């Protein structure tokens, strides 16, 4: 615990130091870099200590808080999230330090100190053992994230996106307030006194099934808005593209995951849920997963595409949670462990590869000043580091073998399949649906990232002159570390899987026996052997090819244009045309439309054609609701006429009403 | 272990092109021709390996590596499937998920390899490949769900081996439906008629073949060899599902397996001779048809109970 507290203290101290040394820009950025590295490394050490030793630590502070107490605890679940958060914050922070160097006019000190403040409150959030502390940290994270999103606040679209995020996050928090109050109300202290806000006390009291269901729905609504469950995800695709890239990375990698942490914490506290809660989670997972990747296919802007992919990955994580909860409810310990472990590992994996992808996207945008995929092309030759790291991220996010995404998806798949062996009809139905959804997600993700990587990095440039582009080598270093983690987990998953199994055993309250652990890990080791064989085969084939090429001639030529002799780079297949066949199949769900006319006649005039997807939940669910609210609110204007006397009358009338209500 | 792996790979490397020879011969006989010799695919591959390479100036290393990855993934995924008397040399709990995803890896690489040329024709083929394979993957997943439920196993060689024999008397219709839907997946994945016509002359109508327009020499040899072996791997899985022979002696098993594979090649040849290629926008309907077949199988299991 000491390391963790030192880390917190260090970061808090640095926040104040940076605010007070605002004049000295050089010193401030130095403080930022040092404090971030020291703070996150300390937090990582403390988390690894807890995960290795399997002991949980508690800390009660002497300082009095308005309500409740300052009570932190590091169990395996918290430690795992502390680990994830610190790793990504460290890497994004270093990247951001170099990324923002040319923003001289901005107040970077404020940004740096808010960045560290956000890290502090995230760490408090995932270790808080008291509901009030949890909510305070939750709100502070929301506010810090808001200030980081609106970094480029002179643009109107940025301010609008930030505002949308703030409203969405607060709407969710409203549900959380009700949820925690309900939980507190149910908790009875030993003396028969009123409830407690401490998670420990809540853990000891039993919850009736209907109440557990109600709390669960509130948790889904409250945490789901921030996490981006499918119908409630509208802020994500607006906020991610406008933020600076390192902020998008932590938004997508960490901040949306704290909702998952919240759900896991609630599952841990309440333990017994009705069966439909697991089904609800599975359905949310399927909708978010498939919907997220389909919308991503329809995007033309790289960061917006990545934002939708976050929703898809949240879907995969939720599928893991759902099947874990199913196993926990039906006392199927293996399924519970596998499901939660898959979900948790995907939380970490997604943080790593999505961080990597956003950082590479940032590097592309920095070099080319655009994120429109149909304007780019052929960047792999001119931005080699960025391109190859983006490729690693893309292969990982598709869940393909050799990289980390596959390991977590394998765990989720295995949980779903093992759950069918009980031969209950509902288990077979829901698990089959989830498996089909997961494999559809996999196939669509491959299409989507082939499109993104192909359009940006392969072929020829469509609009820009690539030759002038230069890669900034300074912010490549953190990306290399993230890419390395992807490969490390993909080939040697043992360490991370044993970590997540410990966290999963805490959540599901299943005792992690060595037999179970080896039943989960030993197939992964054989798989590592197969993957090593795959790499070996590729290397051998490559060597054979190299040797044989010495004996035959190799020529360079233009790409074959199927007989057309004057091809231009604008004739290449664009990202929009690549995605069109899939979008056409799903056009009814997505509202996919192609606008424009085909050229006609012998001497065709210039025509334009463009493809769009309609954000259904924004257009058809939230817009009508908010327009309705606005309409009703405008009706209330009648009582607002601007006379102070009248307003005083209202107050008196209201007080009278209260008095009457009290008497009667 | 090492010897087993080498034996497994050798069997496939030697026999895979023969199936294409048989398909070609069947088609020729149906058309009333004598056709190319049975060993023509071998000659083709040897010819490609001897030729020099031409690379487009647009391409990067991805274009050169993609065929190797394609070949390597097929070689490795073949290790998970038994070939008659030859047991699968590598297996672990949940290996069929690796089988599905490793084919995803090869697909990803050949798609980006095609996009690497910057040719609009190859981009078109890549886009179609991505679309249809992603639909075929769902059907494959559903087939595996049924096999997993019937065999209570998550090991690929066990799912299509041992216990499937005991399921035949009870769940014959289910296995037939699975076999049929898997057959359609096989046609999609190995780019045969009625989904794709590898011998068509017009690039605009191709799916799989158009992605390799710019490949030459070694790369083309790798790609065509890999396509043949992909047919062999998928076909051997099909034969394993449909022909329950797992309690015979090893030699008999091998004989039955060999006959089954030749039969499969002849069936594919007959299908190709009798049916025209589908219009592109009809292909999703065919795949959905395959999905429905498998779904009916799952419903039978649900109603009947296991």
């Amino acid at each position: 615990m000491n390391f963790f507290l030192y880390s917190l203290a260090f970061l808090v101290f640095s926040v104040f130091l940076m605010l007070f040394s605002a004049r000295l820009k050089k010193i401030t950025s130095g403080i930022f870099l040092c404090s971030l590295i020291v703070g996150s490394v300390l937090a990582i050490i403390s988390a690894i200590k807890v995960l290795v030793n399997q002991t949980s630590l508690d800390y009660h502070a002497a300082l009095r808080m308005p309500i409740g107490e300052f009570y932190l605890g590091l169990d395996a679940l918290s430690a795992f999230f502390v680990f994830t958060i610190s790793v990504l914050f460290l890497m994004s922070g270093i990247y951001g330090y170099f990324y923002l160097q040319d923003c001289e006019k901005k107040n970077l000190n404020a940004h740096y100190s808010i960045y560290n403040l956000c890290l502090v409150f995230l760490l408090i959030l995932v270790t808080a053992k008291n509901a009030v502390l949890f909510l305070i940290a939750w709100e502070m994270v929301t506010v810090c994230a808001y200030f980081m999103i609106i970094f480029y606040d002179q643009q109107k679209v940025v301010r609008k996106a930030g505002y949308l995020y703030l409203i969405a996050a607060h709407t969710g928090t409203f549900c959380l307030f009700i949820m925690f109050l309900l939980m507190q109300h149910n908790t009875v202290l030993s003396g028969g006194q009123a409830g407690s806000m401490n998670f420990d006390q809540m853990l000891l009291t039993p919850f009736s099934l209907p109440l557990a269901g109600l709390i669960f729905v509130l948790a889904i609504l409250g945490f789901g808005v921030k996490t981006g469950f499918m119908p409630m995800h509208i802020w994500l695709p607006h906020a991610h593209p406008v933020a600076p890239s390192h902020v998008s990375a932590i938004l997508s990698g960490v901040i949306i995951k704290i909702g998952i942490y919240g759900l896991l914490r609630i599952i841990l506290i309440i333990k017994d849920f009705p069966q439909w809660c697991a089904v609800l989670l599975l359905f949310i997972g399927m909708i978010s997963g498939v919907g997220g990747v389909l919308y991503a296919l329809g995007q033309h802007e790289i960061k917006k595409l990545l934002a939708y992919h976050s929703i898809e990955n949240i879907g995969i994580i939720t599928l893991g949670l759902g099947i874990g909860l199913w196993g926990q409810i039906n006392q199927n310990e293996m399924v519970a462990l596998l499901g939660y472990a898959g979900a948790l590992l995907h939380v970490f994996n997604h943080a790593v590869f999505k961080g990597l992808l956003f950082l590479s996207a940032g590097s592309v945008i920095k070099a080319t000043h655009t994120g429109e995929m149909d304007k780019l092309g052929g960047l792999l030759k001119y931005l080699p580091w960025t391109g190859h790291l983006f490729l690693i991220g893309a292969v990982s996010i598709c869940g393909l073998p050799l990289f980390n995404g596959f390991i977590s998806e394998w765990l989720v798949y295995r949980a779903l399949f093992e759950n069918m062996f009980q031969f209950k009809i509902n288990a077979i139905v829901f698990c089959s649906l989830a498996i089909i959804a997961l494999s559809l997600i996999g196939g669509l993700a491959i299409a989507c990232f082939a499109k993104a990587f192909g359009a940006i990095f392969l072929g020829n440039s469509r609009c820009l002159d690539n030759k002038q582009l230069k890669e900034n080598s300074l912010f490549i270093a953190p990306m290399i570390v993230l890419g390395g983690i992807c490969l490390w987990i993909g080939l040697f998953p043992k360490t991370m899987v044993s970590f997540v199994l410990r966290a999963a055993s805490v959540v599901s309250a299943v005792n992690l026996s060595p037999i179970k652990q080896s039943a989960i890990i030993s197939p992964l080791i054989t798989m590592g052997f197969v993957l090593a064989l795959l790499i070996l085969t590729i290397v051998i084939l490559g060597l054979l090819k190299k040797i044989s090429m010495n004996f035959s001639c190799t020529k360079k030529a233009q790409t074959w244009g199927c007989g057309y002799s004057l091809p231009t780079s604008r004739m290449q297949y664009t990202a929009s045309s690549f995605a069109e066949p899939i979008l056409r199949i799903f056009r009814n769900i997505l509202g996919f439309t192609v606008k424009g006319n085909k050229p006609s006649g012998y001497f065709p005039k210039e025509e334009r054609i463009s493809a769009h997807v309609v954000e259904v939940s924004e257009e058809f669910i939230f817009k009508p609701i908010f327009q309705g609210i606005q309409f009703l609110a405008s009706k209330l204007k009648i009582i607002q006429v601007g006379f102070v006397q009248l307003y005083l009358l209202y107050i008196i009338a209201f007080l009278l009403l209260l008095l009457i209500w009290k008497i009667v | 272990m090492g010897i087993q792996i080498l034996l497994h790979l050798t069997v496939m490397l030697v026999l895979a092109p023969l199936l294409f020879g048989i398909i070609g011969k069947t088609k020729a006989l149906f058309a009333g021709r004598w056709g190319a010799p049975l060993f023509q695919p071998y000659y083709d591959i040897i010819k490609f390996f001897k030729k020099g390479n031409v690379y487009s100036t647009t391409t990067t290393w991805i274009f050169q590596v993609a065929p190797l990855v394609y070949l390597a993934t097929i070689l490795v995924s073949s290790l998970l499937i038994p070939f008659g008397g030859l047991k699968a040399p590598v297996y672990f709990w949940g290996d069929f998920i690796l089988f599905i995803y490793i084919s995803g890896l090869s697909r990803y690489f050949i798609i980006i390899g095609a996009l690497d040329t910057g040719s609009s024709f190859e981009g078109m083929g890549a886009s179609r490949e991505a679309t249809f394979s992603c639909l075929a993957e769902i059907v494959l997943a559903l087939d595996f769900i049924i096999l997993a439920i019937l065999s209570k196993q998550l090991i690929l060689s066990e799912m299509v081996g041992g216990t499937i024999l005991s399921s035949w008397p009870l769940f014959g219709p289910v296995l037939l439906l699975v076999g049929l839907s898997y057959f359609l997946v096989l046609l999609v994945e190995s780019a045969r008629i009625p989904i794709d016509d590898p011998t068509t002359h017009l690039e605009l109508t191709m799916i799989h073949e158009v992605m390799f327009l710019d490949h030459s020499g070694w790369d083309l040899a790798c790609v065509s060899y890999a396509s043949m072996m992909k047919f062999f791997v998928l076909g051997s899985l099909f034969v394993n599902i449909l022909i329950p022979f797992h309690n015979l002696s090893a030699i008999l098993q091998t004989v039955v397996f060999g006959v089954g594979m030749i039969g499969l090649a002849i069936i594919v040849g007959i299908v190709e001779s009798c049916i025209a290629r589908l219009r592109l926008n009809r292909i999703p309907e065919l795949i959905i048809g395959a999905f429905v077949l498998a779904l009916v199988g799952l419903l039978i299991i649900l109603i009947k109970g296991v």
Side-chain angles (χ1 to χ4, degrees):
Chain A
M1 200 70 202
N2 278 339
F3 276 116
F4 185 72
L5 292 176
Y6 289 147
S7 151
L8 281 187
F10 203 84
L11 287 167
V12 171
F13 182 64
S14 77
V15 168
F16 286 107
L17 210 58
M18 278 190 279
L19 285 179
F20 288 123
S21 68
R23 290 288 175 82
L24 313 159
K25 284 198 168 170
K26 277 266 157 60
I27 294 178
T28 321
S29 51
I31 294 172
F32 168 67
L33 209 55
C34 293
S35 63
L36 184 67
I37 291 173
V38 174
S40 4
V41 168
L42 285 175
I44 290 171
I45 292 173
S46 68
I48 289 180
K49 265 176 108 174
V50 170
L51 285 169
V52 171
N53 299 336
Q54 307 192 39
T55 46
S56 49
L57 302 161
D58 287 335
Y59 172 74
H60 292 267
L63 82 162
R64 290 291 306 160
M65 300 238 301
I67 326 161
E69 54 179 334
F70 191 82
Y71 177 21
L72 299 178
L74 259 180
D75 54 5
L77 177 65
S78 300
F80 182 74
F81 273 87
V82 166
F83 182 63
T84 312
I85 290 167
S86 316
V87 168
L88 192 66
F89 254 81
L90 177 60
M91 294 306 154
S92 305
I94 297 173
Y95 178 95
Y97 171 78
F98 295 115
Y99 189 76
L100 297 178
Q101 290 277 305
D102 55 353
C103 298
E104 289 292 329
K105 286 176 191 159
K106 283 276 170 191
N107 186 356
L108 287 182
N109 306 319
H111 179 74
Y112 288 151
S113 54
I114 284 171
Y115 189 88
N116 274 3
L117 195 67
C118 190
L119 176 56
V120 169
F121 279 105
L122 272 170
L123 292 180
I124 293 178
L125 176 74
V126 294
T127 49
K129 285 259 180 167
N130 181 291
V132 179
L133 186 62
F134 182 93
L135 282 173
I136 291 173
W138 178 269
E139 279 300 88
M140 282 307 291
V141 169
T142 305
V143 173
C144 290
Y146 169 72
F147 283 117
M148 290 201 287
I149 290 171
I150 58 158
F151 183 74
Y152 299 115
D153 55 0
Q154 65 276 39
Q155 297 166 25
K156 196 178 173 201
V157 57
V158 177
R159 294 198 298 272
K160 211 178 153 193
Y163 191 53
L164 181 65
Y165 161 74
L166 208 57
I167 292 174
H170 277 104
T171 318
T173 313
F174 173 67
C175 296
L176 293 187
F177 273 116
I178 303 175
M179 181 191 78
F180 279 122
L181 284 176
L182 270 178
M183 284 167 77
Q184 184 220 24
H185 196 69
N186 186 60
T187 312
V188 181
L189 287 177
S190 50
Q193 286 290 306
S196 160
M197 277 291 194
N198 272 1
F199 288 158
D200 288 354
Q201 249 97 29
M202 293 179 184
L203 197 61
L204 295 174
T205 45
F207 287 81
S208 65
L209 276 189
L211 183 65
L214 180 63
I215 290 173
F216 190 77
V217 170
L218 286 170
I220 292 264
L221 289 175
F223 293 125
V225 172
K226 197 156 207 168
T227 306
F229 288 154
M230 192 60 180
M232 305 181 277
H233 65 280
I234 48 165
W235 69 270
L236 263 113
H238 290 282
H240 282 62
V242 299
S245 289
H246 64 288
V247 175
S248 316
I250 54 168
L251 267 184
S252 176
V254 170
I255 292 182
I256 62 172
K257 305 296 173 37
I258 55 177
I260 299 289
Y261 169 78
L263 269 180
L264 280 168
R265 190 51 78 184
I266 298 302
I267 290 172
L268 195 161
I269 290 172
I270 297 184
K271 295 181 290 285
D272 286 327
F273 287 97
Q275 179 87 46
W276 56 262
C277 293
V279 178
L280 182 66
L281 272 183
L282 283 178
F283 268 103
I284 290 174
M286 288 181 232
I287 293 170
S288 310
V290 178
V293 68
L294 278 177
Y295 277 116
L297 266 168
Q299 301 307 316
H300 310 293
E301 211 267 339
I302 175 66
K303 280 170 89 175
K304 210 160 186 173
L305 179 143
L306 292 176
Y308 274 111
H309 262 284
S310 300
I311 300 169
E312 174 232 306
N313 281 285
I314 286 295
I316 297 174
I317 294 167
T318 317
L319 280 178
L321 284 188
I323 194 66
L325 187 61
W326 187 299
Q328 188 180 337
I329 291 167
N330 293 312
Q331 270 95 37
N332 191 337
E333 296 186 341
M334 197 67 180
V335 171
L337 274 180
L338 279 167
Y340 288 137
L344 282 168
L345 187 58
H346 206 75
V347 165
F348 182 76
N349 286 345
H350 179 243
V352 173
F353 56 62
K354 188 50 76 63
L356 176 61
L357 286 167
F358 265 118
L359 299 187
S360 334
S363 172
V364 169
I365 292 170
K366 197 85 178 174
T368 61
H369 303 288
T370 179
E372 290 291 329
M373 282 185 277
D374 286 341
K375 287 186 181 160
L376 301 167
L379 288 181
L380 190 63
K381 286 177 189 159
Y382 303 95
L383 307 174
W385 283 102
T386 311
H388 289 111
L389 288 163
F390 189 93
L391 179 64
I392 291 179
V395 177
S396 311
I397 200 172
C398 296
L400 295 175
L402 295 181
F403 292 98
N404 57 356
F406 179 63
I407 305 295
S408 41
E409 285 194 27
W410 184 85
L411 288 171
V412 176
Y413 264 115
R414 202 179 143 188
L416 290 167
F417 271 99
E418 297 220 344
N419 195 30
M420 291 198 300
F421 289 160
Q422 290 184 321
F423 302 109
K424 285 180 190 156
I425 286 197
N426 55 358
I428 291 182
V429 168
F430 292 120
C431 290
S432 312
L433 278 174
I435 290 166
I436 290 164
L438 202 51
S439 65
L440 183 62
I441 292 169
L444 292 172
I446 288 176
C448 191
F449 272 93
K451 159 190 142 163
F453 183 72
I456 298 173
F457 291 101
L458 301 177
N460 287 312
S461 173
R462 291 178 176 83
C463 287
L464 305 169
D465 182 14
N466 276 351
K467 294 221 169 65
Q468 296 171 350
L469 299 182
K470 259 192 282 173
E471 191 167 34
N472 189 337
S473 55
L474 282 172
F475 47 71
I476 299 298
M479 285 156 60
I480 292 176
V481 175
L482 291 175
I485 296 176
C486 288
L487 193 61
W488 169 63
I489 298 179
L491 292 179
F492 308 102
K494 196 183 163 195
T495 321
M496 280 312 286
V497 172
S498 63
F499 282 176
V500 291
L501 279 177
R502 273 161 212 170
S505 82
V506 169
V507 176
S508 57
V510 170
N511 187 21
L512 185 65
S513 63
I515 303 166
K516 283 194 203 102
Q517 189 159 357
S518 82
I520 293 170
I521 290 180
S522 64
L524 285 170
I525 291 170
T526 323
M527 190 196 294
F529 167 72
V530 179
L531 295 178
L533 210 62
L534 178 65
I535 294 175
L536 187 72
T537 322
I538 296 173
V539 170
I540 290 175
L541 286 172
L543 286 177
L544 281 178
K545 180 178 174 184
K546 196 149 198 183
I547 294 167
S548 80
M549 292 240 295
N550 289 336
F551 297 107
S552 57
C553 58
T554 305
K555 276 189 284 185
K556 288 263 170 198
Q558 218 181 10
T559 300
W560 191 53
C562 297
Y564 189 72
S565 51
L566 282 173
T568 72
S569 65
R570 286 188 58 213
M571 287 181 187
Q572 290 175 95
Y573 230 50
T574 57
S576 327
S577 6
F578 186 86
E580 194 258 3
I582 298 180
L583 295 175
R584 192 165 287 280
I585 294 174
F586 294 96
R587 62 186 174 277
N588 293 334
I589 309 171
L590 296 170
F592 173 67
T593 48
V594 178
K595 284 181 195 148
N597 301 313
K598 289 177 183 165
S600 61
Y602 292 112
F603 299 99
K605 283 183 294 183
E606 189 181 310
E607 291 283 4
R608 288 182 171 276
I609 194 162
S610 59
H612 301 278
V613 290
V614 181
E615 177 53 87
V616 173
S617 73
E618 190 177 327
E619 289 293 322
F620 299 113
I621 299 177
F622 287 99
K623 223 172 200 172
I625 290 176
F626 282 104
Q627 274 169 351
I629 291 174
Q630 204 173 18
F631 176 75
L632 289 179
S634 68
K635 291 286 168 207
L636 277 179
K637 272 187 188 161
I638 302 167
I639 58 169
Q640 244 181 358
V641 283
F643 292 124
V644 180
Q645 295 92 326
L646 202 59
Y647 294 157
L648 286 174
L649 190 66
Y650 291 156
I651 293 172
I652 290 170
F654 187 69
L655 284 174
L656 267 176
L657 212 68
L658 280 182
L659 194 68
I660 292 164
W661 180 59
K662 198 71 192 169
I663 292 166
V664 179
Chain B
M1 183 89 132
I3 296 165
Q4 267 183 315
I5 290 175
L6 284 179
L7 187 66
H8 219 72
L9 291 181
T10 318
V11 166
M12 190 176 63
L13 285 167
V14 172
L15 292 181
L18 188 65
L19 292 180
F20 270 45
I22 295 172
I23 295 177
K25 204 75 181 170
T26 317
K27 283 171 80 174
L29 288 176
F30 255 78
R33 295 182 285 116
W34 191 240
L38 207 54
F39 293 106
Q40 187 59 44
Y42 294 93
Y43 307 146
D44 285 344
I45 288 171
I46 293 169
K47 181 181 73 187
F48 293 150
F49 270 120
K50 282 182 187 165
K51 293 266 182 187
N53 290 302
V54 182
Y55 289 117
S56 160
T57 43
T58 311
T59 56
T60 58
W61 65 273
I62 287 176
F63 179 79
Q64 304 198 23
V65 163
L68 304 181
V69 174
Y70 186 27
L71 189 59
T73 51
I74 305 287
L75 288 174
V76 169
S77 62
S78 77
L79 299 178
L80 304 172
I81 297 176
F83 297 156
L86 291 176
K87 294 273 161 288
V90 185
Y91 54 88
F92 57 91
W93 192 250
D95 58 0
F96 71 100
I97 304 165
L98 183 70
F99 181 79
I100 300 179
Y101 272 73
I102 218 167
S103 79
L105 183 70
S106 77
R107 195 190 331 145
Y108 186 79
F109 268 89
I110 55 176
I111 288 174
I112 60 172
L115 291 174
D116 198 12
T117 58
S119 151
S120 53
F121 284 103
E122 286 174 55
M124 196 170 62
S127 157
R128 289 172 184 168
E129 171 92 2
T131 311
F132 300 135
S133 317
C134 120
L135 293 177
E137 203 171 88
I138 315 173
V139 186
L140 194 61
L142 190 54
D143 288 343
F144 279 137
I145 290 172
I146 295 173
L147 290 176
I149 293 175
L150 288 183
S151 64
K152 306 178 181 59
Q153 290 282 349
L154 293 183
I155 298 172
L156 188 57
S157 53
E158 300 283 325
M159 281 159 69
V160 296
T163 48
I164 213 167
L165 187 66
S166 53
S167 325
W168 260 104
L170 269 172
F171 290 100
V174 177
L175 283 171
L176 273 179
L177 287 168
V178 169
L180 199 55
S181 80
Y182 181 76
F183 182 68
L184 294 174
V185 173
L186 174 105
L187 292 179
V188 176
E189 285 283 326
S190 49
R192 311 298 309 184
I193 296 173
I195 286 81
D196 188 10
D197 188 356
T199 55
T200 178
H201 67 284
L202 191 61
E203 294 90 347
L204 267 175
T205 60
M206 294 181 186
I207 299 172
H208 191 72
E209 216 62 21
V210 75
M211 291 198 290
F212 308 120
L213 280 182
D214 262 83
H215 291 67
S216 55
W218 240 84
D219 298 326
L220 188 59
C222 279
V223 165
S224 17
Y225 207 4
S227 301
M228 290 171 192
M229 287 195 279
K230 188 172 186 183
F231 184 75
F232 190 87
V233 168
L234 294 172
S236 57
L237 200 58
F238 177 71
V239 171
N240 274 315
I241 295 171
L242 274 197
I243 305 182
F245 50 72
H246 302 280
N247 56 351
L248 305 173
S249 71
I251 297 168
L252 266 178
Q253 275 190 30
T254 316
V255 170
V256 175
F257 177 76
V259 172
M261 291 297 277
I262 293 169
L264 173 70
I266 294 173
I267 292 173
V268 171
I270 294 172
V271 167
E272 298 212 343
S273 311
C274 300
I275 302 177
R277 200 180 63 81
L278 284 175
R279 247 187 8 242
L280 275 176
N281 51 0
R282 298 290 296 278
I283 295 173
E285 293 171 23
L286 182 87
I287 302 175
I288 289 166
F291 184 76
V292 171
L293 286 176
L295 201 62
V296 172
L298 187 64
L299 284 180
I300 294 176
I301 292 181
L302 283 180
I303 292 165
K304 208 168 169 188
V306 178

